[in-house]
């Protein structure tokens, strides 16, 4: 509202009118009524004071000329009761009262005389508020007038009062001598009462002559101001109109000239478009109404043959009708169509055009016609087809190359690994290891080349799945700690204890990136140097964690120029580095592209001769399991010695890991009662050991740096860099369970009862697979091609088929389809078929699964992956070597628990598994009691939740029989059933626990 008023006031046209109107309204509604009221008050005061003065003069005259004579010459009495007594004349005051009554009979003037003295003739009078206030005011201010507006009998009146003063000595004497006087000490100039006159107030304006002239002058001034203002505006606007007209005339001339030039340009543009584009126009029904020469030339039709014909005249029969329906749908909705169209010429030849079809609209927005602009792209399309053909040829070449190289590598790696484990002498084993390492190095180069190919073709995918982040990082550290130690490099590993347990991501690709960066740091760091691997938590929420991976080394470093090309394929810092350190120059390029696919980037900070730091940040999704969140710490108390120099984060890392396992105190008090002490200083550790010999002492640091070799006898355990959880857990386990029986963990001790058919054409690979499967207790039937596999399958029942893809006569995919057909036609039992191939091109796995195969193993075959596949598809048929534990009546028919199952399933060492089992059995009684309580309460949902909770822990710890029974209870509860018996489950746990303790 204020903005609108401001705009109106500042407007040069309506502003003066608005301001003047506001001023006139203000005068009319506020100032003039107020002025009129003041004038009336002044008039009334003047009139009433005259009346009061006349009344006073009349009383004075009566007193001097009547009363005195009566007193001297007559026997008449002077009193207030003259109306009832014939011999009495009125007092002067009574005369005033009488005159007031006479005046009051007029409608316009009302007079009265009153006081607050108790005169007998006025003793019954009741004064109103004005009269009381006037007496009080005038008694104090006899020379002033007391006036006020009031309402009497519903009329607006103005009341004026003046003091009645004793001005005559005669009056003073009379008042003092009369018996009815209220007092006898009257003096001259005393106020004996108040004379009041009030008259009605009229509603009309009352202005003086002077005021009327002021109003007339104000109105005249406003009119004069308006005249001047709008006169100035008029002449100003006239001048502006003349200038505007001149400008418009010049603009019209300019526009006319521009329009003429534009027409010329349009003609030139039309020539350019006609020379390069195929132009046509059609009516609302698609009939041609215009074509240029280029259209006629490419189509082979003359202009006369095209005019009036539908555009179908150049439509290629190879294009689906639905395509043109979409085109019409687009342009009829007033949208522009853009796309590639295949057309045909008059003689039937095909050509391609990149077409843009534009609806031309009239001023009402309705379609008038359609304009089509086309550019011939036949050569471009042909070039694209050739490129796709070349890409397919490249993919085929890479697949064949992968197969041809991987197939002999499979035999080389497999047999060299077998030789390494055989009874060879030391030199022969070293030769076998050299063969294995060389073959694996060659395999890594092949994988890099294939990864680059996938990245270039956009076929490298990120496949997410849940994985244990702690095991993931420790596995990498364990792997590279060996390499770093061989090169005498200080490998420092630091991590944040608050990192989530389970994350969802592509752990394989993440491991590929981290491993490559660590491998490079170790490779380019000279002996005696250091490599720092830091995993830090930057931010965390309920669903995501932002984690930074940093690998820093003290190696050769890079210059600014070298850093610019280090992430390019087939590039290294310089040729000298390639010759000295080897490598293809693909690793960092692949890592950079993978990290980009992960939504991040690799940052590089380096200085020539002073090392390099590679880092990247990933936002990873968290998937926490209930068991992990409820893991309980042990009651052990660990002591950690204070370390003044902790530049390698030894104390921080040890303390963080120990806090996850028990309670920690930092101390220099060698009398502290702890279960185990961790020291970082040789002298402090020895001092502690001398005072508390019974407490196990762990020296954390480089054992080679101990000054006195004899000092080593004071230490019970040593932890060298890098520090990670498993090292500490192993030491604690050795200290607390040194006498416990060790379970078998070697994968080669795992046995299966199975019969597997292997289709493989390479004799070396046939023998290798036969040896691997035999070591696993599996009976293998090996054939050389797909047709032989079909023939043998018809005669013998197998538990699984390992099917090589590339084989002579009949390949593995064709053989699989034939076997699946036999299964359908003869209602045979479904047998898992696993693709066994050296191909490693993106999309192979999907192709094999689409053909009916169940899974995929890439060559060279890794024993662990082979075992995983066998466990996955032959789970019910496996029969492992077991611990010798005593059976009871309740556990007959149970699969006896084996700790090595957990170690292999989770990829953990024995001590870590022991810790997990200890934590599981620590809370098991409470968990089983809770389950029994839910069964007793007949609460199906609670039964389902409690059974699922224990089942999850059992599955993680390979307690398969218990997990199976708990799963049955969970399934029954899902259906609403509440009757369950956990006696058998308790017996299984009892047997497992006794077996572990025996």
């Amino acid at each position: 509202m204020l903005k609108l008023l401001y705009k109106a006031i500042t407007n040069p046209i309506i502003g003066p009118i608005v301001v003047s109107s506001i001023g006139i309204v203000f005068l009319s509604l506020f100032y003039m009524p107020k002025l009129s009221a003041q004038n009336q008050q002044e008039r009334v005061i003047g009139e009433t004071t005259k009346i009061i003065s006349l009344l006073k003069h009349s009383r004075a005259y009566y007193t001097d000329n009547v009363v005195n004579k009566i007193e001297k010459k007559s026997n008449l009495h002077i009193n207030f009761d003259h109306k009832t007594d014939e011999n009495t004349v009125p007092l002067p005051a009574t005369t005033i009262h009488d005159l007031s009554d006479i005046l009051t009979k007029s409608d316009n003037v009302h007079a009265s005389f009153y006081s607050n003295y108790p005169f007998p003739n006025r003793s019954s009078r009741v004064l109103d508020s004005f009269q009381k206030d006037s007496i009080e005011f005038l008694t104090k201010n006899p020379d002033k007038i007391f006036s006020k507006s009031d309402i009497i009998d519903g009329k607006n009146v103005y009341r004026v009062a003046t003091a009645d003063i004793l001005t005559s000595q005669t009056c003073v004497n009379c008042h003092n001598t009369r018996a009815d006087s209220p007092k006898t000490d009257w003096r001259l100039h005393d106020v004996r009462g108040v004379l009041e006159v009030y008259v009605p107030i009229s509603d009309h304006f009352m202005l003086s002559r002077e005021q009327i002239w002021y109003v007339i002058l104000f109105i005249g001034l406003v009119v004069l101001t308006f005249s001047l203002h709008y006169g100035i505006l008029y002449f100003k606007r006239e001048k502006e109109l003349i200038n505007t007209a001149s400008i418009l005339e010049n603009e019209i001339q300019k526009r006319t000239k521009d329009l003429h030039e534009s027409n010329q340009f349009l003609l030139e543009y039309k020539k350019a478009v006609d020379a390069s584009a195929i132009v046509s126009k059609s009516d609302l029904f698609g009939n041609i109404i215009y074509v240029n020469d280029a259209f006629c030339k490419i189509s082979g039709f003359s202009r006369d043959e095209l005019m009036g014909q539908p555009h179908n005249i150049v439509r290629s029969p190879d294009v689906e009708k639905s395509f043109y329906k979409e085109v019409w749908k687009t342009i009829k909705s007033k949208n522009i169509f853009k796309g590639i169209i295949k057309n045909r010429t008059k003689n039937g030849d095909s050509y391609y055009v990149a077409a843009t079809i534009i609806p031309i609209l009239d001023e009402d927005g309705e379609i008038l016609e359609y304009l089509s602009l086309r550019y011939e792209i036949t050569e471009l399309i042909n070039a694209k087809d050739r490129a796709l053909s070349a890409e397919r040829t490249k993919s085929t070449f890479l697949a064949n190359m992968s197969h041809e190289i991987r197939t002999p590598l499979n035999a080389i790696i497999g047999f060299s690994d077998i030789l390494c484990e055989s009874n060879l002498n030391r030199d022969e084993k070293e030769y076998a290891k050299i063969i294995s390492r060389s073959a694996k190095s060659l395999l890594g180069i092949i994988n890099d080349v294939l990864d680059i190919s996938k990245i270039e073709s956009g076929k490298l995918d990120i496949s997410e799945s849940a994985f244990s982040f702690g095991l993931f990082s420790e596995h990498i550290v364990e792997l590279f700690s060996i390499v770093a130690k061989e090169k005498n490099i200080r490998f420092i590993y630091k991590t944040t204890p608050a990192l989530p347990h389970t994350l969802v991501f592509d752990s394989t690709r993440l491991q590929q990136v981290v491993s490559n960066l660590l491998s490079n740091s170790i490779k380019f760091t000279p002996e005696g140097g250091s490599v720092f691997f830091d995993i830090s938590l930057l931010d965390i929420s309920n669903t995501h964690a932002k984690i930074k991976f940093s690998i820093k080394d003290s190696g050769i470093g890079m210059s600014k120029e070298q850093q610019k090309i280090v992430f390019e394929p087939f590039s290294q810092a310089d040729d000298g580095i390639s010759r000295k350190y080897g490598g293809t120059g693909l690793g960092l390029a692949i890592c950079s592209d993978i990290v980009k696919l992960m939504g991040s980037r690799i940052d590089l900070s380096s200085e020539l001769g002073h090392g390099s730091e590679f880092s990247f940040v990933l936002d990873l999704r968290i998937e926490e399991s209930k068991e992990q969140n409820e893991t309980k710490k042990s009651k052990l108390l660990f002591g950690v010695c204070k370390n003044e120099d902790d530049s390698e984060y030894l104390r921080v890392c040890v303390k963080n890991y120990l806090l996850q396992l028990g309670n920690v105190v930092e101390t220099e008090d060698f009398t502290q009662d702890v279960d185990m002490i961790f020291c970082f200083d040789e002298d402090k550790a020895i001092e502690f050991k001398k005072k508390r010999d019974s407490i196990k002492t762990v020296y954390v640091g480089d054992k080679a740096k101990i000054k006195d070799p004899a000092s080593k006898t004071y230490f019970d355990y040593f932890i060298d860099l890098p520090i990670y959880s498993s090292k500490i857990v192993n030491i604690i386990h050795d200290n607390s369970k040194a006498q416990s029986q060790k379970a078998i963990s070697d994968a080669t001790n795992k046995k299966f009862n199975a019969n597997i058919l292997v289709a493989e054409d390479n004799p070396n690979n046939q023998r290798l697979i036969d040896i691997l499967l035999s070591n696993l207790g599996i009976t293998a039937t090996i054939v050389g091609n797909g047709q032989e596999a079909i023939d043998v399958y018809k005669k013998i029942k197998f538990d699984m088929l390992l099917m090589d893809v590339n084989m002579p006569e009949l390949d593995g995919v064709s053989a699989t389809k034939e076997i699946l057909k036999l299964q359908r036609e003869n209602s045979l039992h479904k047998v898992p078929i696993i693709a066994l191939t050296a191909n490693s091109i993106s999309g192979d796995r999907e192709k094999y699964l689409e053909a009916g195969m169940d899974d995929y193993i890439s060559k060279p075959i890794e024993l662990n992956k082979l075992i995983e596949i066998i466990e996955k598809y032959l789970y019910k048929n496996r029969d492992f070597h077991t611990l010798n534990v005593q059976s009871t009546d309740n556990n007959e028919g149970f699969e006896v628990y084996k700790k090595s199952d957990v170690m292999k399933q989770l990829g953990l060492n024995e001590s870590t598994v022991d810790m997990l089992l200890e934590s599981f059995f620590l809370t098991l009684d409470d968990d089983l009691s809770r389950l029994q309580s839910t069964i007793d309460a007949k609460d199906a949902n609670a039964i389902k939740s409690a059974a699922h909770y224990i089942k999850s822990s059992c599955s993680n710890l390979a307690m398969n029989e218990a997990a199976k029974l708990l799963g049955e209870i969970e399934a029954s509860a899902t259906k609403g059933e509440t009757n369950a018996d956990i006696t058998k489950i308790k017996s299984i746990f009892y047997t497992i626990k006794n077996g572990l303790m025996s």
Side-chain angles (χ1 to χ4, degrees):
M1 185 66 185
L2 292 176
K3 289 183 177 180
L4 292 174
L5 181 62
Y6 175 77
K7 287 182 179 180
I9 292 173
T10 55
N11 186 284
I13 303 297
I14 66 172
I17 298 174
V18 172
V19 173
S20 300
S21 300
I22 293 173
I24 292 171
V25 169
F26 176 79
L27 286 173
S28 301
L29 297 180
F30 300 101
Y31 180 72
M32 293 181 69
K34 182 179 180 181
L35 191 62
S36 175
Q38 290 176 351
N39 290 338
Q40 289 201 49
Q41 291 176 8
E42 292 175 359
R43 177 185 64 80
V44 170
I45 290 172
E47 292 179 353
T48 54
T49 52
K50 287 180 181 180
I51 294 171
I52 292 170
S53 177
L54 289 174
L55 288 173
K56 288 181 177 180
H57 284 301
S58 298
R59 184 181 59 185
Y61 177 79
Y62 179 75
T63 300
D64 295 338
N65 296 290
V66 176
V67 172
N68 287 336
K69 289 181 178 182
I70 292 173
E71 286 181 341
K72 294 176 180 179
K73 298 180 180 182
S74 173
N75 58 356
L76 295 175
H77 299 289
I78 303 170
N79 210 336
F80 55 82
D81 56 351
H82 64 280
K83 292 182 179 180
T84 58
D85 188 351
E86 293 181 354
N87 295 321
T88 302
V89 294
L91 289 167
T94 304
T95 303
I96 294 297
H97 285 295
D98 292 341
L99 288 175
S100 298
D101 291 339
I102 294 170
L103 289 173
T104 303
K105 293 178 180 178
S106 170
D107 292 336
N108 295 324
V109 179
H110 298 266
S112 61
F113 174 60
Y114 50 84
S115 71
N116 60 350
Y117 292 107
F119 289 103
N121 61 334
R122 295 288 183 266
S123 60
S124 61
R125 166 175 276 178
V126 178
L127 301 178
D128 60 22
S129 60
F130 176 84
Q131 292 170 338
K132 293 178 181 178
D133 293 340
S134 65
I135 291 172
E136 180 181 358
F137 177 80
L138 293 173
T139 299
K140 298 176 182 179
N141 305 282
D143 298 331
K144 294 184 180 181
I145 296 173
F146 185 79
S147 63
K148 188 178 181 182
S149 60
D150 202 352
I151 298 175
I152 299 177
D153 297 330
K155 295 181 181 179
N156 291 324
V157 299
Y158 198 78
R159 303 172 72 172
V160 180
T162 61
D164 186 20
I165 303 172
L166 291 172
T167 57
S168 171
Q169 188 60 45
T170 304
C171 292
V172 171
N173 295 335
C174 178
H175 274 271
N176 286 331
T177 57
R178 286 185 64 83
D180 55 1
S181 177
K183 68 175 185 174
T184 58
D185 57 347
W186 295 94
R187 294 178 300 174
L188 283 174
H189 307 300
D190 279 354
V191 177
R192 58 181 172 181
V194 174
L195 281 169
E196 178 195 338
V197 177
Y198 68 83
V199 296
I201 300 175
S202 62
D203 295 331
H204 59 273
F205 278 117
M206 181 177 178
L207 299 177
S208 65
R209 183 186 300 272
E210 184 180 6
Q211 291 169 343
I212 292 172
W213 274 110
Y214 284 150
V215 171
I216 293 172
L217 286 174
F218 174 77
I219 295 173
L221 181 62
V222 170
V223 172
L224 178 62
T225 303
F226 276 12
S227 300
L228 290 173
H229 175 73
Y230 288 109
I232 293 170
L233 282 181
Y234 171 78
F235 289 112
K236 186 177 180 181
R237 288 294 174 89
E238 281 292 316
K239 185 177 180 180
E240 289 177 353
L241 287 173
I242 293 171
N243 292 335
T244 302
S246 176
I247 292 170
L248 286 175
E249 185 176 353
N250 294 333
E251 185 66 22
I252 290 171
Q253 292 177 358
K254 183 177 180 298
R255 292 289 180 89
T256 303
K257 181 179 178 182
D258 291 343
L259 182 60
H260 178 72
E261 292 176 353
S262 296
N263 287 335
Q264 291 297 114
F265 282 129
L266 285 174
L267 290 175
E268 295 298 324
Y269 290 152
K270 182 177 181 300
K271 289 180 182 179
V273 171
D274 285 338
S276 59
I278 304 164
V279 184
S280 67
K281 288 199 295 184
S282 58
D283 58 21
L284 296 176
F285 305 101
N287 298 318
I288 297 173
I289 58 177
Y290 169 81
V291 293
N292 67 348
D293 292 338
F295 193 108
C296 297
K297 182 179 179 180
I298 194 169
S299 67
F301 291 98
S302 66
R303 185 173 277 99
D304 293 336
E305 290 174 321
L306 292 170
M307 296 300 290
Q309 296 296 321
H311 261 289
N312 294 351
I313 193 171
V314 293
R315 178 186 294 178
S316 172
D318 298 337
V319 182
E320 297 289 338
K321 291 183 179 180
S322 59
F323 173 80
Y324 291 103
K325 286 183 179 179
E326 285 299 318
V327 173
W328 274 107
K329 182 179 179 181
T330 301
I331 61 178
K332 281 187 174 181
S333 60
K334 302 177 184 179
N335 294 318
I336 297 174
F337 168 81
K338 290 184 178 182
I340 296 174
I341 302 176
K342 184 180 181 181
N343 288 338
R344 67 174 179 180
T345 63
K346 183 177 180 180
N347 60 14
D349 294 337
S350 296
Y351 65 96
Y352 291 89
V353 291
T356 301
I357 305 176
I358 307 167
I360 306 300
L361 308 179
D362 61 17
E363 59 186 11
D364 296 325
E366 298 301 325
I367 300 174
L368 287 174
E369 57 190 16
Y370 300 102
L371 174 65
S372 301
L373 298 176
R374 300 175 178 85
Y375 294 90
E376 185 187 7
I377 57 170
T378 306
E379 284 300 319
L380 184 61
I381 296 295
N382 292 337
K384 180 181 176 182
D385 290 340
R386 289 193 296 270
L388 290 174
S389 177
E391 180 66 24
R392 286 192 294 269
T393 302
K394 174 186 173 184
S395 296
T396 303
F397 166 75
L398 287 173
N400 292 335
M401 181 196 75
S402 172
H403 180 269
E404 294 301 325
I405 298 177
R406 285 172 181 267
T407 297
L409 275 179
N410 182 56
I412 295 170
I413 294 173
F415 280 111
S416 60
D417 288 342
I418 291 173
L419 285 173
C420 290
E421 301 299 327
S422 63
N423 296 323
L424 298 177
N425 60 42
R426 186 177 64 183
D427 291 338
E428 290 170 339
K429 283 189 177 183
E430 184 62 29
Y431 299 153
K433 288 180 180 179
I434 292 172
I435 294 172
S436 179
R437 285 197 296 266
S438 300
K440 289 175 181 177
S441 176
L442 179 58
L443 181 62
I445 294 173
I446 294 171
N447 289 334
D448 284 347
V449 172
L450 292 176
D451 279 344
I452 283 292
S453 175
K454 292 175 186 176
I455 291 170
E456 289 178 347
S457 61
K459 295 179 180 179
L460 186 68
D461 299 322
I462 300 298
S463 178
E464 294 188 346
S465 61
F467 68 100
S468 171
F469 189 68
L471 296 178
F472 163 84
S473 57
E474 286 199 12
H475 173 72
I476 295 175
V477 174
E478 284 177 335
L479 178 65
F480 286 97
S481 63
I482 300 171
V483 182
K485 194 168 186 179
E486 289 176 350
K487 200 174 177 181
N488 191 27
I489 289 175
R490 297 286 284 171
F491 185 17
I492 304 166
Y493 169 55
K494 178 175 174 286
T495 184
T496 303
L499 284 167
H501 293 286
T502 306
L503 296 172
V504 178
F505 205 63
D506 192 332
S507 59
T508 301
R509 291 299 179 190
L510 180 56
Q511 180 176 347
Q512 182 179 356
V513 173
V514 175
S515 297
N516 199 303
L517 295 176
L518 281 172
S519 177
N520 278 351
S521 290
I522 294 172
K523 179 195 295 186
F524 296 113
T525 299
E527 290 191 11
S530 61
V531 172
F532 182 74
F533 179 30
D534 182 20
I535 302 178
S536 55
L537 181 66
L538 302 183
D539 189 23
I540 190 168
S541 66
N542 292 333
T543 58
H544 285 78
K546 186 174 288 185
I547 300 174
K548 181 178 181 180
F549 298 82
S550 176
I551 294 94
K552 185 177 182 180
D553 61 65
S554 61
I556 62 175
M558 287 176 279
S559 65
K560 296 293 185 182
E561 292 73 19
Q562 291 168 342
Q563 293 177 44
K564 293 177 182 179
I565 63 170
V566 73
F567 292 113
E568 296 178 6
F570 304 103
S571 298
Q572 289 190 331
D574 57 48
D575 294 337
I577 289 176
S578 179
R579 288 191 299 271
K580 181 177 180 180
Y581 295 97
T584 60
L586 293 175
L588 286 178
I590 294 171
C591 290
S592 178
D593 288 326
I594 291 175
V595 172
K596 286 178 182 177
L597 284 174
M598 294 174 176
S600 183
R601 69 173 188 181
I602 297 179
D603 293 321
L604 168 61
S605 175
S606 182
E607 184 178 350
L608 194 62
H610 293 84
S612 304
E613 180 178 4
F614 293 86
S615 62
F616 59 94
V617 178
L618 295 179
D619 193 4
L620 306 179
R621 185 158 59 90
I622 300 173
E623 184 178 278
E624 292 287 6
S625 66
K626 190 173 183 181
E627 290 82 358
Q628 288 168 327
N629 290 332
E630 296 187 357
T631 299
K632 296 182 179 179
K633 297 193 296 185
S634 69
K635 296 181 180 179
L636 295 175
L637 179 63
F638 303 107
V640 177
C641 290
K642 294 184 178 179
N643 185 19
E644 295 180 0
D645 180 17
D646 196 27
S647 58
E648 294 184 341
Y649 305 99
L650 301 182
R651 183 183 60 81
V652 172
C653 291
V654 169
K655 182 181 176 182
N656 288 339
Y657 287 127
L658 291 175
L659 283 171
Q660 300 176 43
L661 302 172
N663 299 310
V664 177
V665 292
E666 293 187 77
T667 180
E668 287 183 347
D669 181 8
F670 300 115
T671 62
Q672 184 85 22
D673 190 13
V674 295
D675 295 292
M676 184 176 287
I677 188 77
F678 291 79
C679 296
F680 312 92
D681 180 84
E682 177 183 347
D683 297 330
K684 287 184 179 179
I686 294 172
E687 184 180 353
F688 180 87
K689 191 64 176 176
K690 287 179 178 179
K691 292 184 178 182
R692 303 296 301 275
D693 182 63
S694 60
I695 297 177
K696 299 297 182 183
T697 305
V698 182
Y699 178 79
V700 183
D702 189 354
K703 190 194 301 186
K705 291 186 178 181
I706 295 178
K707 294 173 287 187
D708 184 3
S711 300
K712 296 179 181 179
T713 59
Y714 287 98
F715 309 131
D716 299 286
Y717 302 100
F718 294 91
I719 297 180
D720 198 1
L721 293 178
I723 299 172
Y724 47 86
S725 178
S726 297
K727 287 186 176 181
I728 296 175
V729 171
N730 288 340
I731 288 175
I732 296 172
H733 172 264
D734 290 342
N735 182 50
S736 60
K737 292 188 176 181
Q739 304 301 323
S740 63
Q741 183 179 354
K742 201 172 182 182
I744 301 170
S745 62
D746 189 1
T748 59
N749 289 331
K750 192 170 284 190
K751 302 296 182 182
F752 297 87
N753 288 331
N755 188 13
I756 294 179
L757 172 63
V758 180
E760 167 64 59
D761 63 313
N762 186 285
N764 294 326
N765 286 337
Q766 289 179 353
R767 177 152 178 74
L768 173 63
I769 294 172
D770 188 25
I771 293 172
L772 293 176
L773 295 178
S774 297
N775 288 340
L776 295 173
I778 294 173
T779 300
T781 302
I782 300 177
V783 296
N785 58 61
Q787 186 58 52
E788 291 180 8
I790 295 171
D791 296 339
V792 174
Y793 175 77
K794 292 178 181 179
K795 301 174 184 178
I796 304 174
K797 182 180 179 181
F798 295 99
D799 298 301
M800 177 183 286
L801 275 65
L802 296 179
M803 186 74 70
D804 189 21
V805 175
N806 296 317
M807 293 185 293
E809 294 190 31
L810 190 67
D811 62 84
V813 174
S814 301
T816 297
K817 292 179 179 179
E818 187 63 30
I819 291 172
L820 293 175
K821 182 180 178 183
L822 288 172
Q823 291 177 358
R824 290 192 299 268
E825 292 176 350
N826 300 284
S827 301
L828 299 177
H829 176 68
K830 177 71 171 70
V831 178
I833 303 176
I834 311 301
L836 185 64
T837 179
N839 289 348
S840 186
I841 302 300
S842 178
D844 282 348
R845 183 176 185 275
E846 291 75 11
K847 180 173 65 177
Y848 302 144
L849 295 178
E850 186 178 349
M853 294 180 170
D854 297 278
D855 218 317
Y856 169 97
I857 298 179
S858 177
K859 296 178 184 177
I861 297 173
E862 296 180 26
L863 179 59
N864 289 337
K865 291 185 178 179
L866 179 61
I867 292 173
E868 287 177 9
I869 289 292
I870 294 172
E871 287 181 341
K872 181 177 179 181
Y873 293 99
L874 302 181
Y875 184 86
K876 295 180 180 178
N877 296 326
R878 67 179 182 177
D879 181 20
F880 302 143
H881 289 308
T882 60
L883 294 169
N884 294 321
V885 295
Q886 185 176 359
S887 298
T888 66
D889 293 337
N890 290 329
N891 73 344
E892 288 182 0
F894 296 169
E895 179 183 301
V896 183
Y897 185 74
K898 187 180 180 185
K899 191 170 25 174
S900 60
D901 293 354
V902 195
M903 296 164 61
K904 187 60 183 176
Q905 177 176 305
L906 300 179
L908 300 175
N909 55 32
E910 183 182 0
S911 58
T912 306
V913 170
D914 284 338
M915 185 179 68
L916 293 174
L917 289 170
E918 181 181 355
S919 176
F920 171 78
F921 283 107
L922 188 65
T923 61
L924 180 61
D925 290 340
D926 293 338
D927 296 334
L928 289 173
S929 298
R930 186 162 55 250
L931 175 58
Q932 185 63 56
S933 298
T934 61
I935 295 172
D936 295 338
K938 302 294 184 182
D939 188 343
N941 288 331
I943 293 171
K944 175 185 173 183
S945 177
H948 177 79
Y949 175 76
I950 305 174
K951 184 192 74 173
S952 298
S953 298
C954 293
S955 298
N956 290 336
L957 296 173
M959 299 178 183
N960 304 308
E961 289 294 332
K964 179 181 177 182
L965 293 175
L966 287 163
E968 292 173 358
I969 294 175
E970 181 185 3
S972 299
T974 303
K975 299 176 182 177
E977 298 175 11
T978 58
N979 294 323
D981 185 4
I982 63 173
T983 304
K984 193 174 183 179
I985 298 171
K986 288 182 177 179
S987 177
I988 293 173
F989 288 137
Y990 177 83
T991 303
I992 293 173
K993 190 172 183 180
N994 285 345
L996 292 171
M997 294 174 64
S998 61

